[in-house]
Amino acid sequence: DDLIEGGFPDKSLILISGICGTGKSIFGINFLVNGALKGEPGVYISLEESPEENIRQMKTFGWPVDELIKQRKLLIIQPTLYNYDALLTKIEDAVNMIGAKRLVLDSLSIIGMYFENMYKVRKSVLELSALLKRLGCTTIAIDETEKEDDMSAFHVEEFVVDGLVMMYFTKKKSHFERSIAVIKMRSTKHSTKIYPFDIGSPGGITVYPEKAKNKQQLSADQR
């Protein structure tokens, strides 16, 4: 929140990108749980893991998942995908079911596989953004990249979304370090530096603003 003047802009669509193991799904879950605890219901759309697997992961961070679900402040679903229009309908139904204000889609990378070309991928993200803004949701869409410097899976998503947050898993001399950077965030004056973060229990993700690096420093660490 400190890096983007208080938090994601209301009803925006934010892309969280990074390679495997950077903590993207945990970031998304963290966003939903924090919102639910503040009275903002949220929906987690999982296109890979089952709701049971997601709930088990959430509990490792000490979050009151069962209670939030019981109170209809959190809804976790794994829709069966057979076409993109059906997914949009499923998202709308889930949001309306609990009056959701926050939503996480995990992951956008899988949706892109349903289209033959990049034009249709970009069009699908635009349609998703329009739907979510109409529904009044602030949304995180997770994107898995193959290379650390890639901003998105299909190289078009970053141009469509309102914000882009990159998550890194950088090799140092004797260990790996996770870090995060805000590349784009409309309607905010955001930081452009790279910040280390940890994933731990309880609480989930903790970012360390006082240890900011620039891109040149990150490259030097890799060498």
Side-chain angles (χ1 to χ4, degrees):
D1 289 350
D2 291 342
L3 311 186
I4 53 176
E5 297 188 317
F8 295 139
D10 191 38
K11 302 180 184 179
S12 60
L13 175 59
I14 310 299
L15 188 68
I16 306 292
S17 291
I19 61 172
C20 177
T22 49
K24 300 180 298 298
S25 295
I26 296 172
F27 187 105
I29 293 168
N30 224 147
F31 171 71
L32 289 183
V33 170
N34 286 343
L37 291 173
K38 295 175 182 177
E40 293 187 9
V43 174
Y44 189 81
I45 307 286
S46 176
L47 302 183
E48 297 182 76
E49 296 183 341
S50 69
E52 292 76 20
E53 290 171 327
N54 283 300
I55 290 171
R56 186 164 54 250
Q57 183 182 30
M58 290 178 183
K59 288 182 177 179
T60 64
F61 296 105
W63 294 323
V65 183
D66 292 334
E67 188 64 24
L68 292 175
I69 292 173
K70 183 179 179 180
Q71 295 174 359
R72 297 176 66 84
K73 292 181 179 178
L74 183 64
L75 177 63
I76 304 168
I77 62 173
Q78 184 184 32
T80 301
L81 270 185
Y82 50 92
N83 65 56
Y84 185 65
D85 290 336
L87 174 63
L88 293 183
T89 299
K90 190 71 174 180
I91 290 174
E92 184 169 6
D93 290 344
V95 168
N96 289 333
M97 187 181 300
I98 64 169
K101 295 300 180 183
R102 300 189 182 198
L103 184 140
V104 171
L105 179 60
D106 191 0
S107 70
L108 204 60
S109 315
I110 293 179
I111 292 177
M113 296 177 184
Y114 283 76
F115 301 97
E116 298 174 356
N117 56 58
M118 293 303 101
Y119 167 77
K120 290 184 177 179
V121 172
R122 189 166 186 167
K123 183 172 180 289
S124 72
V125 178
L126 282 170
E127 291 173 350
L128 176 64
S129 179
L131 170 66
L132 296 171
K133 288 179 180 179
R134 178 170 58 81
L135 293 174
C137 279
T138 303
T139 302
I140 285 178
I142 293 170
D143 221 357
E144 183 127 340
T145 61
E146 293 184 1
K147 300 177 182 178
E148 193 168 66
D149 287 336
D150 288 345
M151 291 188 179
S152 62
F154 301 99
H155 308 291
V156 296
E157 302 95 307
E158 65 266 34
F159 301 107
V160 178
V161 296
D162 301 303
L164 169 62
V165 176
M166 294 291 300
M167 300 182 74
Y168 303 102
F169 201 31
T170 307
K171 183 179 180 181
K172 305 191 80 171
K173 289 183 179 180
S174 60
H175 66 283
F176 285 87
E177 181 180 85
R178 289 186 171 93
S179 54
I180 191 168
V182 181
I183 307 300
K184 166 185 175 181
M185 194 65 57
R186 290 173 183 162
S187 304
T188 73
K189 184 180 179 182
H190 63 84
S191 171
T192 58
K193 294 182 179 180
I194 298 167
Y195 298 86
F197 73 91
D198 285 335
I199 300 174
S201 180
I205 288 177
T206 302
V207 179
Y208 299 100
E210 70 278 5
K211 298 181 180 179
K213 297 181 179 182
N214 56 37
K215 189 65 173 177
Q216 288 73 25
Q217 286 176 301
L218 186 66
S219 298
D221 285 343
Q222 290 174 309
R223 291 196 295 270

